[in-house]
Amino acid sequence: TELSLILQQCGFTLADDNSTNRPAIEITGEAFSEFAMRKGNLQSCRARIEIKARDVASGKIIFVDRQTSVAVDIAEHIASKTALQNGAGELAERLLPKLAP
């Protein structure tokens, strides 16, 4: 979600499995987050995101990268989602220059 939001805010047109238009660039990957530790009422979670961007027409791989991040919150679920959000933001900083013409 975070990566899609950033790309959309930068002017990219997004497509998914339900879209009628075929994308020029396909971004795929995996992400997960899990509980790391608790200190008092604060909980930390770690997340790892791995992505690959591919030019659909040529099949050429444009970008491959990964990012690990950590977040802390009083709610484990929020810490987990925030760690994913932070990691996606860091990946976007490296991805966007590769997508620009």
Side-chain angles (χ1 to χ4, degrees):
T1 301
E2 183 68 15
L3 188 56
S4 295
L5 176 66
I6 292 168
L7 290 169
Q8 188 176 50
Q9 289 174 340
C10 289
F12 288 90
T13 301
L14 305 181
D16 64 12
D17 292 338
N18 297 321
S19 300
T20 56
N21 296 334
R22 187 165 166 136
I25 297 171
E26 179 182 53
I27 299 174
T28 58
E30 295 181 1
F32 70 92
S33 60
E34 59 185 41
F35 175 77
M37 69 173 279
R38 178 175 292 131
K39 178 91 171 172
N41 65 346
L42 295 176
Q43 301 179 64
S44 68
C45 291
R46 291 180 52 90
R48 180 171 171 93
I49 304 169
E50 302 168 348
I51 64 170
K52 176 172 46 175
R54 180 179 66 86
D55 180 279
V56 174
S58 69
K60 178 184 173 190
I61 303 298
I62 300 168
F63 182 81
V64 175
D65 205 351
R66 73 278 186 244
Q67 182 67 44
T68 303
S69 61
V70 178
V72 177
D73 198 281
I74 59 172
E76 180 182 344
H77 188 71
I78 299 300
S80 181
K81 294 284 238 175
T82 301
L84 288 166
Q85 179 180 343
N86 294 343
E90 292 178 40
L91 275 173
E93 288 180 21
R94 298 191 300 268
L95 171 65
L96 286 170
K98 301 292 185 185
L99 299 180

